[in-house]
Amino acid sequence: MFYRAHVLVEMTSSSVAFGAAQVKEAFEKEIEKAGLGKEVKVLETGSFGAALPSPFVVIYPDNVVYAPLRVQDVRRVVEEHLLKGRIVKDLMVCGGMESGTTEFVCPFPLAKETRVVLRNSGLIDPLNIEDYIARDGYMALAKVLTEMTPEEVIEVVKRSNLLGRGGAGFPTGLKWEFTYKAEGKEKYVVCNADEGEPGTFKDRLILEGDPHSILEAMAIAGYSVGAREGYIYVRAEYPQSIRHLEEAIRQAEEYGFLGENILGSQFSFRVKIRKGAGAYVCGEETALLESIEGKRGEPRVKPPYPPQKGLWGKPTVIDNVETLANIPPIIVRGPEWFKSIGTPTCPGTKVFTLTGNVNNLGLIEVPMGITLRELVFEIGGGVRGGHGLKLVQTGGPSGGTMTPDLLDVPMTFDTLPKYNSALGSGALTVIDDTHCIVDVVKSFGEFFLHESCGKCTPCRIGNKRIVEILEKISEGKGTVGHLEELRHLGRNMKMTAFCGLGQAAPNPLLRCLEFFREEFEVHVKEKFCPAGVCQLKSSRRTVR
């Protein structure tokens, strides 16, 4: 059916918390009441991007954005804009950031944004497979099934130099090749959607806004490595992602993109969902496999690695949500196109989540190689409240700590390790200079103490000792010897913890001990907290 106008309501988890579902319902009622039900269609859609107020509504084809829109304003928009053709200017958002202006400027794409992973988010109804097909959805799957051998698909992915976006940055094509070459009649594809790193929510928004792109990529991976079955391991705390995935799987099976003899080929592939219980350690790939198998989520001894011995002991390829979302466009547009974005050694885009003390919060997709300065001060709009920048924690607590002198370092998987930092999952937590470094590191330590699976002593006991010492320092009971003990503990944990998560737990502690040594020493020698955060018993003064 042809509609003269479409009303797109952003329906992410956060938008729903601000009343997006009620706004959508109000539009449906008012449109029917105005007799426009056959002319105007109301749709849900995914995230439009960073720093946009909620509830966020776009009316096409006029490209008019109303945000934040309250339920009581909906009747006015319907009567004035949709019925009489008069834009309600005082409810519009302009430039993506300011409301109440009278001249509309499309807020997306943001100036530096390049959308590959988020290409459909905010433009399609994620619950309508025909919307996805209309934007070349399932074209890549059709291409590999009709024109390419599994070896050719793997070669294309290898030539693209797509690095895994879960944090490790391992070449995706190599991972697929290892699984393809592994012996075994049964093989599996697993999508890691257990997004447990504090400060990141990109996978949730990708799944909410474009679930079919993940299903298509998993089917392509299955065809390439010889798997007939795939699992999506997704956090149970993401109910909307799960709801959209369940509906997308149903539709894909109905249209013949999943199931038996896909598109008339000899290839069959099905996808199942497994809900995680929220354990941070299950983001580690072998702990995730244990959880899918119904066991306690604990890491396995490696080697063997999942491509040789994964789910139920069978060869398994495990990819992150963001990694998979890159696959369909790489197949359709080619590896050279993908390599034209980003840097020569780290091509493509990266989805970052901006959180903390920054003016513009939210999701942004930009080419690899962008600097931290551009992310924080141009896209992020600078540090909130006019305060100074103290540090940016990249990739969540287990990632890296970047100080203001590193603002111009290109953000890629291969450059950040040169500065003892890491890109990680793409979480960027901006921390201003009103925060106490002891308090910041203690907060990270408490997270790791809570989330340690307890399998190995270095992680289980090490995190507990770290938090105990930091508590003493914050209470004015710390000594210089405690600082050396922290450094010793952190280094030993990095060398002896069983899994990568345990080894990464002391990263922020060690980095902050290096860069903010003087502030730690003021706490233990002068019993003084320069930020006035710690409740030291003998503080000589409090300065904020």
Side-chain angles (χ1 to χ4, degrees), residues 309-364:
K309 192 175 181 180
L311 192 59
W312 289 296
K314 310 297 182 185
T316 302
V317 62
I318 306 176
D319 284 317
N320 164 265
V321 170
E322 185 183 352
T323 308
L324 288 168
N326 279 289
I327 295 296
I330 287 174
I331 297 296
V332 171
R333 306 184 70 172
E336 298 307 318
W337 162 79
F338 187 73
K339 289 193 290 188
S340 69
I341 307 168
T343 70
T345 55
C346 195
T349 61
K350 184 77 191 82
V351 181
F352 290 98
T353 49
L354 280 166
T355 61
N357 306 127
V358 65
N359 283 309
N360 301 329
L361 303 169
L363 201 70
I364 184 78

Coordinates of all heavy atoms in Angstrom, one line a residue, residues 309-364:
K309 N 37.9 -26.7 18.3 CA 37.0 -27.4 19.3 C 36.2 -26.4 20.0 O 36.7 -25.8 21.0 CB 37.9 -28.2 20.2 CG 37.1 -29.2 21.0 CD 38.1 -30.1 21.9 CE 37.3 -31.1 22.7 NZ 38.3 -31.9 23.5
G310 N 35.0 -26.1 19.5 CA 34.2 -25.1 20.1 C 32.9 -25.6 20.8 O 33.0 -26.4 21.7
L311 N 31.8 -25.2 20.3 CA 30.5 -25.6 20.9 C 30.3 -27.1 20.8 O 30.4 -27.7 19.7 CB 29.3 -24.9 20.1 CG 28.0 -24.9 20.8 CD1 28.0 -24.4 22.2 CD2 27.0 -24.2 19.9
W312 N 30.0 -27.8 21.9 CA 29.9 -29.2 22.0 C 31.1 -29.9 21.4 O 31.0 -31.0 20.7 CB 28.6 -29.7 21.4 CG 27.4 -29.3 22.2 CD1 27.1 -29.7 23.5 CD2 26.4 -28.4 21.9 NE1 26.0 -29.1 24.0 CE2 25.5 -28.3 23.0 CE3 26.1 -27.6 20.7 CZ2 24.4 -27.5 23.0 CZ3 25.0 -26.8 20.8 CH2 24.1 -26.8 21.9
G313 N 32.3 -29.3 21.5 CA 33.5 -29.9 21.0 C 33.6 -29.9 19.4 O 34.6 -30.5 18.9
K314 N 32.8 -29.1 18.8 CA 32.8 -29.1 17.3 C 33.4 -27.8 16.8 O 33.4 -26.7 17.6 CB 31.4 -29.2 16.7 CG 30.5 -30.3 17.3 CD 31.1 -31.7 16.9 CE 30.3 -32.8 17.5 NZ 30.9 -34.2 17.3
P315 N 34.0 -27.7 15.6 CA 34.5 -26.5 15.1 C 33.5 -25.4 15.1 O 32.4 -25.6 14.6 CB 35.0 -26.9 13.7 CG 35.2 -28.3 13.8 CD 34.2 -28.9 14.7
T316 N 33.9 -24.2 15.6 CA 32.9 -23.1 15.8 C 33.5 -21.8 15.5 O 34.7 -21.5 16.0 CB 32.4 -23.1 17.2 OG1 31.8 -24.4 17.6 CG2 31.4 -22.0 17.5
V317 N 32.9 -21.0 14.7 CA 33.3 -19.6 14.5 C 32.4 -18.7 15.4 O 31.2 -18.8 15.3 CB 33.3 -19.2 13.0 CG1 31.8 -19.3 12.4 CG2 33.9 -17.8 12.8
I318 N 33.1 -17.8 16.1 CA 32.4 -16.9 17.0 C 32.7 -15.5 16.6 O 33.9 -15.1 16.5 CB 32.8 -17.1 18.5 CG1 32.6 -18.6 18.9 CG2 32.0 -16.2 19.4 CD1 33.1 -18.8 20.3
D319 N 31.7 -14.7 16.3 CA 31.9 -13.3 15.9 C 31.0 -12.4 16.7 O 29.9 -12.8 17.1 CB 31.6 -13.1 14.4 CG 32.7 -13.7 13.5 OD1 33.9 -13.4 13.8 OD2 32.4 -14.3 12.5
N320 N 31.5 -11.2 16.9 CA 30.7 -10.2 17.7 C 29.6 -9.6 16.7 O 29.7 -9.7 15.5 CB 31.7 -9.1 18.1 CG 31.1 -7.8 18.5 OD1 31.0 -6.9 17.7 ND2 30.7 -7.8 19.7
V321 N 28.6 -9.0 17.3 CA 27.5 -8.4 16.6 C 28.0 -7.4 15.5 O 27.7 -7.4 14.4 CB 26.5 -7.7 17.5 CG1 25.5 -6.9 16.8 CG2 25.8 -8.7 18.4
E322 N 28.9 -6.4 16.0 CA 29.4 -5.4 15.1 C 30.2 -6.0 14.0 O 30.1 -5.5 12.8 CB 30.2 -4.4 15.9 CG 30.6 -3.2 15.0 CD 31.5 -2.2 15.8 OE1 31.7 -2.3 17.0 OE2 32.0 -1.3 15.1
T323 N 31.0 -7.0 14.2 CA 31.8 -7.7 13.2 C 30.8 -8.2 12.1 O 31.0 -8.0 10.9 CB 32.6 -8.8 13.8 OG1 33.3 -8.3 14.9 CG2 33.5 -9.4 12.8
L324 N 29.8 -8.9 12.6 CA 28.9 -9.6 11.6 C 28.2 -8.5 10.8 O 27.9 -8.7 9.6 CB 27.9 -10.5 12.3 CG 28.5 -11.8 12.9 CD1 27.5 -12.4 13.9 CD2 28.9 -12.7 11.8
A325 N 27.8 -7.4 11.4 CA 27.1 -6.4 10.7 C 27.9 -5.8 9.5 O 27.3 -5.2 8.6 CB 26.6 -5.3 11.6
N326 N 29.2 -6.0 9.5 CA 30.0 -5.5 8.4 C 30.0 -6.5 7.2 O 30.3 -6.1 6.0 CB 31.5 -5.4 8.8 CG 31.7 -4.1 9.5 OD1 31.7 -3.0 8.9 ND2 31.9 -4.2 10.9
I327 N 29.6 -7.7 7.4 CA 29.8 -8.8 6.4 C 28.9 -8.5 5.1 O 29.4 -8.5 4.0 CB 29.5 -10.2 7.0 CG1 30.5 -10.5 8.0 CG2 29.4 -11.2 5.9 CD1 31.9 -10.6 7.5
P328 N 27.6 -8.3 5.2 CA 26.8 -8.1 4.0 C 27.3 -7.0 3.1 O 27.5 -7.2 1.9 CB 25.4 -7.9 4.5 CG 25.3 -8.6 5.8 CD 26.7 -8.4 6.4
P329 N 27.6 -5.8 3.6 CA 28.1 -4.8 2.7 C 29.5 -5.1 2.1 O 29.8 -4.7 0.9 CB 28.2 -3.5 3.5 CG 28.1 -4.0 5.0 CD 27.3 -5.2 4.9
I330 N 30.3 -5.9 2.8 CA 31.6 -6.3 2.2 C 31.4 -7.2 1.1 O 32.0 -7.1 0.0 CB 32.5 -6.9 3.3 CG1 33.0 -5.9 4.3 CG2 33.7 -7.7 2.7 CD1 33.8 -6.5 5.5
I331 N 30.4 -8.1 1.2 CA 30.1 -9.1 0.1 C 29.6 -8.3 -1.1 O 30.0 -8.6 -2.3 CB 29.2 -10.2 0.6 CG1 29.8 -11.0 1.7 CG2 28.7 -11.0 -0.6 CD1 31.0 -11.8 1.3
V332 N 28.6 -7.4 -0.9 CA 28.0 -6.7 -2.0 C 28.9 -5.7 -2.6 O 29.0 -5.6 -3.9 CB 26.7 -6.0 -1.4 CG1 26.1 -5.1 -2.5 CG2 25.7 -7.1 -1.0
R333 N 29.6 -4.9 -1.8 CA 30.4 -3.8 -2.4 C 31.9 -4.1 -2.6 O 32.6 -3.4 -3.2 CB 30.2 -2.6 -1.5 CG 28.8 -2.2 -1.3 CD 28.6 -0.9 -0.5 NE 29.0 0.2 -1.2 CZ 28.8 1.5 -0.8 NH1 28.2 1.7 0.3 NH2 29.2 2.5 -1.6
G334 N 32.3 -5.2 -2.0 CA 33.7 -5.7 -2.3 C 34.7 -5.3 -1.2 O 34.5 -4.3 -0.5
P335 N 35.8 -6.0 -1.1 CA 36.8 -5.7 -0.1 C 37.5 -4.4 -0.3 O 38.0 -3.8 0.6 CB 37.7 -6.9 -0.1 CG 37.5 -7.5 -1.5 CD 36.1 -7.3 -1.8
E336 N 37.7 -4.0 -1.6 CA 38.4 -2.8 -1.9 C 37.6 -1.6 -1.4 O 38.2 -0.6 -0.9 CB 38.7 -2.7 -3.4 CG 39.6 -3.8 -3.9 CD 40.9 -3.9 -3.1 OE1 41.5 -2.9 -2.8 OE2 41.3 -5.1 -2.9
W337 N 36.3 -1.6 -1.6 CA 35.5 -0.6 -1.0 C 35.6 -0.5 0.5 O 35.8 0.6 1.0 CB 34.0 -0.8 -1.3 CG 33.1 0.0 -0.5 CD1 32.7 1.3 -0.6 CD2 32.4 -0.5 0.7 NE1 31.9 1.6 0.4 CE2 31.7 0.6 1.2 CE3 32.3 -1.7 1.4 CZ2 30.9 0.5 2.4 CZ3 31.6 -1.9 2.5 CH2 30.8 -0.8 3.0
F338 N 35.6 -1.6 1.2 CA 35.8 -1.6 2.6 C 37.1 -1.0 3.0 O 37.2 -0.2 4.0 CB 35.6 -3.0 3.2 CG 35.5 -3.1 4.7 CD1 34.4 -2.7 5.4 CD2 36.6 -3.6 5.4 CE1 34.4 -2.7 6.8 CE2 36.6 -3.6 6.8 CZ 35.5 -3.2 7.5
K339 N 38.2 -1.4 2.3 CA 39.5 -0.9 2.7 C 39.7 0.6 2.3 O 40.7 1.2 2.8 CB 40.6 -1.7 2.0 CG 40.7 -3.2 2.6 CD 41.9 -3.9 2.1 CE 41.8 -4.3 0.6 NZ 43.0 -5.1 0.2
S340 N 38.8 1.2 1.6 CA 38.9 2.6 1.3 C 38.4 3.4 2.5 O 38.6 4.7 2.5 CB 38.0 2.9 0.1 OG 36.6 2.8 0.4
I341 N 37.9 2.8 3.5 CA 37.4 3.5 4.7 C 38.4 3.2 5.8 O 38.9 2.1 5.9 CB 36.0 3.0 5.1 CG1 35.0 3.1 4.0 CG2 35.5 3.8 6.3 CD1 33.7 2.4 4.2
G342 N 38.7 4.1 6.7 CA 39.6 3.9 7.8 C 41.0 4.0 7.4 O 41.4 4.9 6.6
T343 N 41.9 3.2 8.0 CA 43.3 3.3 7.8 C 43.8 2.0 7.0 O 43.1 1.0 7.0 CB 44.1 3.4 9.1 OG1 44.0 2.1 9.8 CG2 43.5 4.5 10.0
P344 N 45.0 2.0 6.4 CA 45.4 0.9 5.7 C 45.5 -0.4 6.5 O 45.3 -1.5 6.0 CB 46.8 1.3 5.2 CG 46.7 2.8 5.1 CD 45.9 3.2 6.2
T345 N 45.9 -0.3 7.8 CA 46.1 -1.4 8.6 C 44.8 -1.8 9.4 O 44.8 -2.9 10.0 CB 47.3 -1.2 9.6 OG1 47.0 0.0 10.4 CG2 48.6 -1.1 8.9
C346 N 43.9 -0.9 9.5 CA 42.7 -1.1 10.3 C 41.5 -0.5 9.5 O 41.0 0.6 9.9 CB 42.9 -0.4 11.6 SG 41.7 -1.0 12.8
P347 N 41.1 -1.1 8.4 CA 40.0 -0.5 7.6 C 38.6 -0.6 8.2 O 38.4 -1.3 9.2 CB 40.1 -1.4 6.3 CG 40.6 -2.7 6.8 CD 41.5 -2.4 7.9
G348 N 37.7 0.1 7.6 CA 36.3 0.1 8.0 C 36.0 1.2 9.0 O 36.8 2.2 9.2
T349 N 34.9 1.0 9.7 CA 34.4 2.0 10.7 C 34.4 1.4 12.1 O 34.7 0.2 12.2 CB 33.0 2.4 10.4 OG1 32.1 1.2 10.4 CG2 32.9 3.1 9.0
K350 N 34.2 2.2 13.1 CA 34.1 1.7 14.4 C 32.9 2.4 15.1 O 32.7 3.7 14.9 CB 35.3 2.0 15.2 CG 35.3 1.4 16.7 CD 35.5 -0.1 16.6 CE 35.2 -0.7 18.0 NZ 33.7 -1.0 18.2
V351 N 32.0 1.7 15.7 CA 30.9 2.3 16.5 C 31.4 2.5 17.9 O 31.8 1.6 18.6 CB 29.7 1.3 16.5 CG1 28.6 2.0 17.3 CG2 29.3 1.0 15.1
F352 N 31.4 3.8 18.3 CA 31.7 4.2 19.6 C 30.5 4.6 20.4 O 29.5 5.1 19.9 CB 32.7 5.4 19.6 CG 34.1 5.1 19.1 CD1 34.4 5.4 17.7 CD2 35.0 4.5 19.9 CE1 35.6 5.1 17.2 CE2 36.3 4.3 19.4 CZ 36.6 4.5 18.1
T353 N 30.6 4.3 21.7 CA 29.5 4.8 22.6 C 30.1 5.9 23.6 O 31.1 5.6 24.3 CB 28.9 3.7 23.4 OG1 30.0 2.9 24.0 CG2 28.1 2.8 22.6
L354 N 29.6 7.1 23.5 CA 30.1 8.2 24.3 C 29.3 8.3 25.6 O 28.1 8.5 25.6 CB 30.0 9.5 23.5 CG 31.1 9.8 22.4 CD1 30.6 10.9 21.5 CD2 32.4 10.1 23.1
T355 N 30.0 8.1 26.7 CA 29.4 8.2 28.0 C 30.2 9.1 29.0 O 31.3 9.4 28.6 CB 29.2 6.8 28.6 OG1 30.4 6.2 28.8 CG2 28.3 5.9 27.8
G356 N 29.7 9.4 30.1 CA 30.4 10.1 31.1 C 30.2 11.6 31.0 O 29.2 12.1 30.7
N357 N 31.3 12.3 31.4 CA 31.2 13.8 31.5 C 31.4 14.5 30.1 O 32.3 15.3 30.0 CB 32.2 14.3 32.5 CG 32.1 13.6 33.8 OD1 33.1 13.1 34.3 ND2 30.9 13.6 34.4
V358 N 30.6 14.2 29.1 CA 30.7 14.8 27.8 C 29.4 15.3 27.4 O 28.3 14.8 27.9 CB 31.2 13.7 26.8 CG1 30.2 12.6 26.6 CG2 31.6 14.4 25.5
N359 N 29.4 16.4 26.7 CA 28.1 17.0 26.4 C 27.1 16.2 25.5 O 25.9 16.1 25.8 CB 28.4 18.4 25.7 CG 28.8 19.4 26.6 OD1 28.2 19.7 27.7 ND2 29.9 20.1 26.3
N360 N 27.7 15.6 24.5 CA 26.8 14.8 23.6 C 27.0 13.3 23.9 O 28.1 12.8 23.6 CB 27.1 15.1 22.1 CG 26.9 16.5 21.8 OD1 26.1 17.2 22.4 ND2 27.7 17.1 20.9
L361 N 26.0 12.6 24.4 CA 26.1 11.2 24.8 C 25.5 10.4 23.7 O 24.6 10.8 22.9 CB 25.4 11.0 26.1 CG 25.9 11.8 27.3 CD1 24.9 11.6 28.5 CD2 27.3 11.3 27.7
G362 N 25.9 9.1 23.6 CA 25.2 8.2 22.7 C 26.1 7.5 21.7 O 27.3 7.3 22.0
L363 N 25.6 7.1 20.6 CA 26.2 6.2 19.6 C 26.7 7.0 18.4 O 26.0 7.9 17.9 CB 25.1 5.2 19.2 CG 25.6 3.9 18.6 CD1 26.2 3.0 19.6 CD2 24.3 3.2 18.0
I364 N 27.9 6.6 17.9 CA 28.4 7.3 16.8 C 29.3 6.3 16.0 O 30.0 5.5 16.6 CB 29.3 8.5 17.1 CG1 29.8 9.3 15.9 CG2 30.4 8.1 18.0 CD1 28.7 10.1 15.3

